[in-house]
Amino acid sequence: MELPPAWQRPDPLRGLEDMPWSVLAHGAGVDDLMRRVVHGERVTREAACQALADRLLVDDTVSEASVWAVPFLVEMGASYRVPADSRDRVIFLLAAMALASAGFTDDGKRTRRRWNALGRELPRRPPDWITQTRYEVAKGAPKVFEALAGAEVACSMALAIAVPEAVPRHVVAVAEALSSADRSPRLLALAARVALHLVSDTPITPTLLRGTAQCNQDLLRAFRDKAYPANQPPHVTLQLMGYRYAFLAAYEHTPHGEHRPDDGEEGPTITR
């Protein structure tokens, strides 16, 4: 019997030692953290996952190391050789990196996503790690979606929300199945509905955003207080809301830094 694609993938860390991590901005130690995410004991993996996120997504800011790390994170998220609890955290990290709101410049300052009054994104100071990171995530996402196949899991919805342009039909079918609240956990159904809106490219109205935000007090407060950046396009706001619902769907009852009983499914993940 032929093995599933996720078992056929090469070593996810292949080529890791060839990268000059120590000279990349924010790259020192990234290679060691990735090895611990893949090969460490569970407690070690959990700590390494959080440390990796702290290095590659510094206060919602991506860097040079973030861009170069994405291909390895994609292979980790797409390979069954990686423990399940690490895979789901890595996939959530990929989604969060694709949604990053800022990037580091060469002098260590931040350049943020901004839009003009027409909702068009303004240029950023080079190097534009935000755009480059998102491009790399979208390019690699199909490998992850192929490995997840028909799995009805929150990390799949998080990645679909982050890069809807890369979502294959079989993941859309999963989202359609999950969006039925009577057969799915409420928060997972909400994340799936957001993913469907983004994939179908349907108009995103203030009413839709308000209705989506109403299911979480923090999101509703941010929406009412206009806490989102000025002129931020509706689809970006919906992405951020949807990512939050996917995160809560997987970890709502899991205190930060702890884990549920080892059931082989999604474990604690990176906060955003």
Side-chain angles (χ1 to χ4, degrees):
M1 183 175 65
E2 186 178 14
L3 290 172
W7 279 109
Q8 298 179 43
R9 300 207 62 80
D11 178 0
L13 301 182
R14 184 178 60 174
L16 188 68
E17 66 282 355
D18 298 329
M19 291 293 302
W21 297 106
S22 61
V23 302
L24 297 178
H26 295 270
V30 167
D31 50 344
D32 183 57
L33 289 173
M34 286 187 179
R35 291 187 187 96
R36 283 191 271 161
V37 166
V38 173
H39 298 301
E41 297 296 325
R42 180 154 188 159
V43 174
T44 301
R45 293 197 306 270
E46 290 176 0
C49 282
Q50 189 62 56
L52 189 62
D54 292 341
R55 189 71 54 84
L56 300 177
L57 191 62
V58 184
D59 295 330
D60 202 25
T61 305
V62 289
S63 64
E64 182 181 29
S66 307
V67 175
W68 289 99
V70 169
F72 294 99
L73 297 176
V74 166
E75 290 296 337
M76 291 159 67
S79 175
Y80 284 1
R81 302 184 188 191
V82 179
D85 58 297
S86 289
R87 283 203 323 273
D88 111 274
R89 287 178 227 156
V90 163
I91 296 168
F92 266 102
L93 176 56
L94 282 167
M97 289 167 65
L99 295 172
S101 66
F104 284 110
T105 59
D106 284 339
D107 57 3
K109 296 180 180 179
R110 284 181 170 89
T111 179
R112 299 187 179 279
R113 298 189 75 183
R114 296 181 301 122
W115 298 266
N116 64 19
L118 298 177
R120 294 173 180 166
E121 195 157 7
L122 298 172
R124 289 177 285 274
R125 287 178 292 169
D128 185 0
W129 301 127
I130 300 173
T131 298
Q132 293 188 52
T133 300
R134 194 182 189 286
Y135 170 79
E136 290 295 332
V137 174
K139 184 172 71 173
K143 295 180 181 178
V144 179
F145 287 131
E146 180 185 34
L148 291 171
E152 297 184 344
V153 289
C155 63
S156 178
M157 294 300 100
L159 190 59
I161 287 164
V163 287
E165 70 275 20
V167 176
R169 177 59 207 172
H170 75 268
V171 174
V172 174
V174 170
E176 290 171 343
L178 288 173
S179 65
S180 175
D182 60 348
R183 66 174 297 277
S184 304
R186 171 175 156 273
L187 291 172
L188 186 55
L190 285 168
R193 290 171 191 166
V194 169
L196 289 174
H197 275 294
L198 293 165
V199 169
S200 63
D201 200 26
T202 55
I204 299 171
T205 63
T207 300
L208 173 62
L209 290 177
R210 188 181 306 109
T212 302
Q214 283 177 345
C215 299
N216 179 271
Q217 290 185 352
D218 291 338
L219 293 179
L220 183 59
R221 188 179 305 112
F223 182 79
R224 286 176 172 172
D225 296 346
K226 299 182 178 179
Y228 295 104
N231 303 319
Q232 178 170 281
H235 79 272
V236 177
T237 302
L238 188 64
Q239 282 179 302
L240 296 175
M241 289 181 179
Y243 177 93
R244 185 61 183 166
Y245 284 129
F247 173 83
L248 291 173
Y251 310 112
E252 183 180 30
H253 304 298
T254 307
H256 181 67
E258 299 180 11
H259 61 80
R260 305 181 221 178
D262 188 0
D263 55 6
E265 298 300 326
E266 295 177 328
T269 192
I270 311 304
T271 56
R272 186 180 190 280

